[in-house]
Amino acid sequence: MLVEQGHADLEIYSFDTDIGQQAWQKRSEGLTALLTNTGNVTEPVDIVLRKPLRKSNFSEALNLVEEKIRLQQASHGNIEADDAQRIKHKTNWTGKLLSSLKLRKKPAKHLPSIEFQAPDPAPQNQTDTIKDPNLLETWINQLPKDANQRASTLLKNITPLCSLKLKPMQMLQLLEIYRTAVQDLMFTRDISAVKRDLYVTTENLRAIRGVSDLIAKLGVGYQQLARQPYEQGATPDNNSLLLFCLNRSTEQQALLILHAFQYYRKAPSGAWRWLHQQYLYHEQAATLQQSVNLKEQYQSRSFHDIYTQITLTALSDPYSLARFDVFRLFRLMTEFTDKVETGMLSDKLISTTSNFMLTGHFCIDANSDLMPQAMVKMPPDIRQRPTTRLLNTQPALLYIENLFRDAKSRPHASMDTELRLLKKVIPQLNTTHERRYHRLESGKHRTVKMVHGINAIHQSLRGSLTNALDWHMANQSSGGMMAKRATESCYHLNIGDFVGIFEQDLAVKLASIRWLYVDMDGETVVGLELIDGKPVPVFCTPDGEAELHPALILPNDKPQEPASMITEKGLYSPKRRLRVKDDGEPYVIVASGMIDSTLDYELFNFTVRHGS
C-alpha cells in the first residue's frame, strides 16, 4: 500500500545469481519493478524500467506505480466514492520521491567554502526591469547625463534583476552592460560629479550612497551567477563562468573600497574579508594568476591583479591624498601588480622582529575585515595562523626606484605627475613612514572649538566664534595634532582645508588638514599640520580691484625674514601688489614666494612697499 509517512521496505533482487533467483521466487506480495537493458522480460512484474534510467522515464514509471496502487486501494474499498474528495487528498508523492532521489552535487570539498551574499528582495513597486540586453543598452544610452540621476535610475533597475532567475549568458550580458555604466560613473567626471565631491548637500550625500549601493548590487549579481556552478561542484580551474563571475565580484568589492577612499570613508563592512577569503579560495584552486576569456567576448584580469591593485592603493594611505589623486593612484597601481609577491609565511618571517628584514612586508590576515597590515606590527600568533599570508611589495618598490633613476638620467627632465605621486606614497609601501613629530596623548576631556575656512576664521578672530564645532583633541605634537568628533552634523571636509583651533586661555592655532577619515556611523578623525604664527585678521585688495578680501597676516619674530599672509585661493601671483587694511592706515605689500597652496587657501611671503 501507499506509504505517505514513516518508512517503506525496498527489496532488490539480482537475477544474475542463483541465490537472487531463489529469493525472487519466495518474495512477499507487493509491487514489483524490473530494471533491464533489453526489455525481454519473462518474469511476472508490474513495471519494466529500461536502462539508461533517466528522470523522464522514471517519472512515468512512478506515475504508473501511483495509478496501480490507487486501483488496488479502490478494489479493497479504501478509496472514497466521491472523486472530488479523492483528488483533494491525493498527494504528489511522486514529485516528493523524485526530489529526494535527485542526485544533488555539492560544492567542491577540496576548496574553502564561499559565503555568497543573498540579493535583497525588490520592493513591490520595483519588480519589473529590462531583461533584453539590446533594450537595456539602448535605455542606458538615453539616460540623463547627470551622474546623480543616472546612479539613482540604474540602482532602481538593477535591484530587481539580481533576484531573477535568467539563463546564465542572458544574465551575464545584462550585468556586463550595467558594469560599463558603473565604470563610467566612477571614472568619468562631469560638473555634477565635481559638485557632489566638493559640496555637502542632502542630494549629494544621497548620490554618494546611491553609487555605493549600485556597485554593491552589481557585485551581488555576479555572485548569484557564480553560485549555481559553485553549488554544483564546479571549480574555477575547470569552469570559466565561475572564475569570470568570481573575478567580477572581486572587482566590485575593490571598487566599493575605492569609492569609500574617494570620500575618505571607512571601507564597507565585509569588503576586505570577502577579498581575503577569495584569495584563499583561488590559492587552493590554483587560479590566483589566471585571467579568463569567456566566449571571446568578455575578459577579466586575474584575481591577483585585482586584489593587489586595490591593496597597493590602500597601503598608500589614500586618506592623506587629494580626492582626485586616489583615482590616479588606483590606475597607476596596475603597472605594479605583477611585481607584488604573495604566499605563505616562512618560519623566519613568522619569528623575526628585524625592521630591516620586514621592510615592504605586509600580513594578510584572512580572518579579519582589515586591509593587509605591516608585518613588523603583527604579533607572532597572527603571523603563524594557517590563514595568514605574506604580501611583499619589495619587488614593486625596486621597479619604482628604477623608474626614478631613469627619469633623473634624462637631460632637463622634470618629474611628471605620476612619479611625484609615487614618491609621496613610497614610505607607506615600504613600511618606513615615520612621523615627523612625536605626538603626546591629550586629556580625555580636552575639547577645542574648530572653525573651518578663512572667512569663518577671520570673523572669529575679529569677534565672536563663527560656525565653530566642538572637537575632542586626541593627541598633539609641536607640529600637528589629531582631533575627532561625531560624523553626524560635521561640516564637509577635504584634504588641504584651512581650519582655526580656538581653545580657552590659549593662543589661536591655524592648521591644514593633512589626512581625513570618516566613519559615517561613528566619528570623523582629522590629522592637522600646524601653521606657525599668531594670526592677525586684515583685509586686502589686489591692485586694480575694489573688492575687499579677508586675509590673515602671520608676523615673523625674526626681523630679517619676511612675514607671511594667508588668503583665499586665487589671490596670489608673484610680485602682485595688495593693499592691506587693518586697524591703522592702509599700506601696500608685494607678494614674494609661495609657501603652501591648497584648494582652500594660499600661504605666501610678502614685503611691505614703503612710501606707497
Side-chain angles (χ1 to χ4, degrees):
M1 62 180 295
L2 176 63
V3 178
E4 295 185 356
Q5 58 184 358
H7 67 275
D9 292 330
L10 173 65
E11 296 177 348
I12 299 175
Y13 303 89
S14 171
F15 287 175
D16 295 334
T17 65
D18 293 338
I19 297 177
Q21 293 182 16
Q22 292 174 10
W24 169 256
Q25 298 299 330
K26 298 178 182 179
R27 70 185 183 279
S28 58
E29 184 179 354
L31 201 66
T32 57
L34 179 68
L35 181 64
T36 175
N37 282 318
T38 63
N40 298 325
V41 180
T42 58
E43 296 295 331
V45 295
D46 297 297
I47 299 171
V48 176
L49 300 176
R50 294 190 180 186
K51 291 183 178 180
L53 184 59
R54 294 190 174 90
K55 181 178 178 180
S56 58
N57 55 20
F58 189 39
S59 177
E60 293 174 1
L62 291 175
N63 288 331
L64 181 59
V65 169
E66 182 182 26
E67 183 63 17
K68 284 181 175 291
I69 292 176
R70 187 184 67 78
L71 292 174
Q72 289 178 5
Q73 290 176 335
S75 65
H76 288 86
N78 292 330
I79 191 167
E80 297 288 339
D82 183 29
D83 193 55
Q85 188 71 13
R86 177 184 62 79
I87 294 175
K88 179 179 179 181
H89 288 285
K90 180 180 179 181
T91 60
N92 186 20
W93 71 277
T94 56
K96 294 178 181 178
L97 183 58
L98 274 174
S99 177
S100 64
L101 291 176
K102 187 185 294 182
L103 295 177
R104 293 184 177 273
K105 290 186 177 180
K106 296 181 179 180
K109 292 183 178 179
H110 69 287
L111 297 179
S113 61
I114 299 178
E115 295 181 7
F116 291 103
Q117 184 178 350
D120 296 327
Q124 290 295 325
N125 59 345
Q126 295 181 13
T127 55
D128 193 22
T129 189
I130 300 174
K131 307 179 189 68
D132 181 88
N134 293 327
L135 289 178
L136 178 63
E137 202 158 21
T138 302
W139 174 75
I140 289 179
N141 290 334
Q142 295 173 350
L143 289 178
K145 297 300 181 183
D146 181 88
N148 294 357
Q149 294 181 31
R150 287 176 71 87
S152 174
T153 307
L154 289 169
L155 179 60
K156 288 179 181 177
N157 282 270
I158 197 175
T159 298
L161 178 67
C162 294
S163 303
L164 299 179
K165 294 188 180 298
L166 303 176
K167 293 180 179 179
M169 289 311 299
Q170 179 188 1
M171 177 65 88
L172 181 63
Q173 283 182 282
L174 295 171
L175 292 176
E176 287 293 285
I177 294 170
Y178 277 109
R179 174 180 175 268
T180 300
V182 169
Q183 296 271 334
D184 289 342
L185 277 175
M186 282 284 292
F187 299 109
T188 302
R189 314 297 300 166
D190 66 356
I191 189 63
S192 62
V194 173
K195 287 181 178 179
R196 182 183 66 218
D197 293 347
L198 294 180
Y199 305 107
V200 56
T201 64
T202 302
E203 179 185 357
N204 288 344
L205 289 175
R206 188 184 302 116
I208 293 170
R209 185 167 55 251
V211 173
S212 181
D213 290 344
L214 177 59
I215 299 169
K217 291 292 183 186
L218 182 59
V220 170
Y222 283 115
Q223 287 187 39
Q224 296 315 301
L225 200 50
R227 183 194 292 269
Q228 183 177 358
Y230 166 82
E231 291 183 343
Q232 292 178 349
T235 57
D237 58 320
N238 62 23
N239 188 295
S240 296
L241 179 63
L242 175 59
L243 177 60
F244 183 88
C245 291
L246 289 178
N247 284 353
R248 280 287 195 259
S249 181
T250 296
E251 177 189 74
Q252 305 320 308
Q253 293 294 329
L255 289 183
L256 271 177
I257 296 173
L258 180 67
H259 186 255
F261 288 162
Q262 182 187 1
Y263 298 99
Y264 308 108
R265 295 184 178 182
K266 178 183 178 181
S269 177
W272 281 111
R273 186 184 301 278
W274 166 268
L275 292 177
H276 298 333
Q277 293 298 320
Q278 283 294 294
Y279 178 92
L280 296 181
Y281 180 83
H282 284 284
E283 179 188 60
Q284 186 68 24
T287 52
L288 277 175
Q289 305 279 357
Q290 189 170 323
S291 58
V292 57
N293 294 325
L294 202 59
K295 293 186 177 296
E296 299 182 357
Q297 186 178 1
Y298 306 116
Q299 297 83 33
S300 169
R301 295 182 297 147
S302 69
F303 172 85
H304 184 271
D305 280 355
I306 301 169
Y307 178 79
T308 52
Q309 182 184 9
I310 189 61
T311 299
L312 287 173
T313 305
L315 295 177
S316 301
D317 192 16
Y319 297 109
S320 66
L321 297 177
R323 193 183 300 276
F324 307 115
D325 282 348
V326 175
F327 282 137
R328 290 174 46 225
L329 182 68
F330 181 71
R331 287 194 178 102
L332 189 58
M333 288 305 173
T334 58
E335 298 183 27
F336 313 117
T337 55
D338 61 334
K339 313 295 188 302
V340 176
E341 297 176 349
T342 59
M344 304 288 290
L345 273 72
S346 65
D347 292 339
K348 191 172 185 178
L349 284 177
I350 291 175
S351 58
T352 188
T353 57
S354 168
N355 288 1
F356 177 76
M357 285 189 60
L358 296 179
T359 299
H361 289 66
F362 295 84
C363 265
I364 302 171
D365 182 3
N367 293 333
S368 75
D369 193 23
L370 301 172
M371 69 179 190
Q373 304 291 310
M375 190 172 295
V376 70
K377 298 179 180 178
M378 300 298 282
D381 63 309
I382 293 181
R383 295 189 206 177
Q384 64 189 5
R385 287 177 182 171
T387 55
T388 297
R389 295 293 183 269
L390 163 71
L391 186 138
N392 181 14
T393 65
Q394 281 188 333
L397 291 168
L398 180 61
Y399 182 81
I400 294 172
E401 287 178 8
N402 290 333
L403 291 179
F404 287 136
R405 190 177 299 112
D406 292 342
K408 290 180 180 179
S409 65
R410 294 195 297 266
H412 310 295
S414 60
M415 192 174 294
D416 61 22
T417 306
E418 283 71 21
L419 288 180
R420 284 197 296 270
L421 184 58
L422 284 175
K423 187 175 183 179
K424 182 176 181 180
V425 303
I426 276 182
Q428 309 291 344
L429 293 178
N430 65 14
T431 66
T432 59
H433 171 72
E434 294 182 0
R435 296 189 185 278
R436 286 188 294 166
Y437 309 100
H438 179 63
R439 289 190 172 179
L440 301 175
E441 296 296 322
S442 297
K444 289 185 178 180
H445 304 292
R446 184 182 171 190
T447 301
V448 299
K449 299 284 186 182
M450 192 180 297
V451 178
H452 181 237
I454 189 168
N455 286 318
I457 296 171
H458 190 273
Q459 294 177 36
S460 298
L461 287 170
R462 291 174 61 86
S464 59
L465 290 177
T466 303
N467 297 329
L469 291 180
D470 287 335
W471 288 74
H472 169 65
M473 197 60 61
N475 61 46
Q476 73 174 87
S477 68
S478 59
M481 54 182 60
M482 185 177 82
K484 56 187 177 180
R485 65 161 285 117
T487 297
E488 187 179 2
S489 75
C490 184
Y491 28 59
H492 190 57
L493 298 171
N494 288 293
I495 299 297
D497 279 1
F498 183 45
V499 297
I501 297 104
F502 293 77
E503 191 171 5
Q504 189 174 2
D505 300 328
L506 293 176
V508 175
K509 300 180 183 68
L510 302 180
S512 177
I513 296 178
R514 290 310 181 197
W515 60 263
L516 171 62
Y517 178 84
V518 180
D519 183 348
M520 293 304 293
D521 299 318
E523 293 181 320
T524 292
V525 187
V526 294
L528 304 173
E529 183 176 1
L530 295 177
I531 300 173
D532 290 334
K534 298 177 181 179
V536 178
V538 298
F539 290 96
C540 68
T541 305
D543 243 7
E545 297 182 14
E547 182 181 357
L548 292 173
H549 298 272
L552 304 175
I553 286 182
L554 303 175
N556 199 317
D557 296 334
K558 301 176 181 178
Q560 67 275 18
E561 295 183 7
S564 54
M565 172 179 279
I566 298 177
T567 66
E568 60 198 42
K569 183 73 173 178
L571 286 186
Y572 170 82
S573 63
K575 299 183 180 180
R576 188 175 195 179
R577 291 161 57 96
L578 300 166
R579 183 168 294 276
V580 178
K581 184 179 185 306
D582 55 13
D583 294 334
E585 289 294 321
Y587 57 94
V588 175
I589 65 171
V590 178
S592 50
M594 174 71 77
I595 300 174
D596 191 19
S597 175
T598 73
L599 292 175
D600 202 33
Y601 72 95
E602 291 173 334
L603 170 61
F604 54 89
N605 291 324
F606 68 87
T607 56
V608 177
R609 185 72 174 265
H610 297 286
S612 55

